[in-house]
Amino acid sequence: RRAGARPARLTVMAAASDIPIRLRPFGNYLLVRRISAGGMADVFRARVVGARGFSKNVAIKRIFPHLAESDRFVRMFADEARIASRLVHPNIVQIRELGEHRGVPFIAMEYVPGRDLYLVFQRLVELGERLPAPFAVRVAAEVARALEHAHAFRHHDQPHDIVHRDVSPRNVLISWGGEVKLADFGVARARDREEHTEHGLIKGKVRYMSPEAAAGRVLDRRSDLFSLGVVLAELLIMRPFRDGANDLEILASIRRGEVDCQRLAGVPGPLLPVVERALAAHPEKR
């Protein structure tokens, strides 16, 4: 960017994703629309209503009722809320409350009116358009700021050793006004988690894993940088960075540290060293 120039403004195009539901009470909230459903919980846009016409949108992440009977999943859910609630940063989705309604745990958090990066990417592909490189860089830079805050976080003057472990387009939210926010610390590693991942167990989305994550090794912040490098590469080349017949084939390729240099041909020259460094197979080279 030129000195003194205003940062590139990112405008998000609308794409249908919210799933309408019948407006219904949920504790102190009113559920308005279901936004998404994952492997562990579904997420709703909700509204909290107060005195004298006060009303505010929030997001409610509600664990699936059948998982609420599992102590392990409830501990994982509580870990997510506790870890993310300590991270106060403009590029991280803020946690408002960890609660329970009729025996089902939920997390109330900041509602980001907009779309996740995956939907933005898919919409651009449908339209045959590219995300301008300055916008791609801005998105990556703001996610990097969120990660820097999480990685450096200290609690009671002790390092928290947070690693997100799931940096991917689905977990990057972009508001209609262009704000970029990192979400979902559900599989994050931290020093004081109640529910720890078993050694060798793989978590996160395969296409965005680092070689050390794919091998089930102990991770540090550099694993998140690799995942962010994959996201940035995809935004610049406008296609998936990794292909394979199935997840196992992709996983094996990642473990071997393979990077298809031909896929980086669409990366603008000045950005190529940045992407290549983020995608280095050995963490010490990132």
Side-chain angles (χ1 to χ4, degrees), residues 242-260:
R242 296 191 183 277
D243 282 329
N246 52 55
D247 281 354
L248 285 177
E249 184 177 302
I250 296 174
L251 200 60
S253 171
I254 296 171
R255 284 175 175 169
R256 293 192 295 266
E258 295 176 356
V259 172
D260 186 351

Side-chain angles (χ1 to χ4, degrees), residues 224-236:
D224 285 341
L225 296 183
F226 185 97
S227 300
L228 181 55
V230 177
V231 173
L232 176 57
E234 290 189 339
L235 295 179
L236 293 170

Side-chain angles (χ1 to χ4, degrees), residues 47-82:
R47 189 177 301 138
V48 58
V49 179
R52 299 182 180 273
F54 174 84
S55 178
K56 182 178 178 64
N57 284 326
V58 297
I60 297 291
K61 185 173 185 177
R62 183 186 66 181
I63 195 170
F64 291 132
H66 68 281
L67 296 181
E69 300 174 5
S70 166
D71 289 341
R72 177 172 177 267
F73 280 104
V74 170
R75 286 196 300 269
M76 288 173 60
F77 202 69
D79 280 336
E80 175 183 358
R82 185 173 61 255

Side-chain angles (χ1 to χ4, degrees), residues 30-161:
L30 288 173
L31 300 183
V32 179
R33 302 176 75 88
R34 190 171 71 175
I35 300 171
S36 64
M40 183 177 172
D42 43 16
V43 180
F44 297 86
R45 178 163 69 89
R47 189 177 301 138
V48 58
V49 179
R52 299 182 180 273
F54 174 84
S55 178
K56 182 178 178 64
N57 284 326
V58 297
I60 297 291
K61 185 173 185 177
R62 183 186 66 181
I63 195 170
F64 291 132
H66 68 281
L67 296 181
E69 300 174 5
S70 166
D71 289 341
R72 177 172 177 267
F73 280 104
V74 170
R75 286 196 300 269
M76 288 173 60
F77 202 69
D79 280 336
E80 175 183 358
R82 185 173 61 255
I83 292 168
S85 67
R86 295 169 179 167
L87 301 176
V88 180
H89 189 274
N91 294 120
I92 295 176
V93 172
Q94 299 298 284
I95 302 298
R96 308 297 186 197
E97 176 189 6
L98 172 64
E100 188 173 301
H101 177 63
R102 295 181 179 175
V104 178
F106 69 89
I107 299 171
M109 55 188 141
E110 174 187 9
Y111 175 68
V112 182
R115 292 290 180 259
D116 66 49
L117 185 57
Y118 173 83
L119 289 174
V120 175
F121 184 91
Q122 291 300 115
R123 183 60 174 158
L124 286 167
V125 170
E126 290 171 7
L127 296 174
E129 297 183 8
R130 300 181 66 89
L131 187 69
F135 292 165
V137 171
R138 185 193 148 198
V139 169
E142 298 205 17
V143 174
R145 292 188 186 102
L147 290 172
E148 180 183 30
H149 178 78
H151 294 160
F153 180 77
R154 299 174 71 88
H155 187 57
H156 297 315
D157 204 32
Q158 294 296 318
H160 219 44
D161 298 334

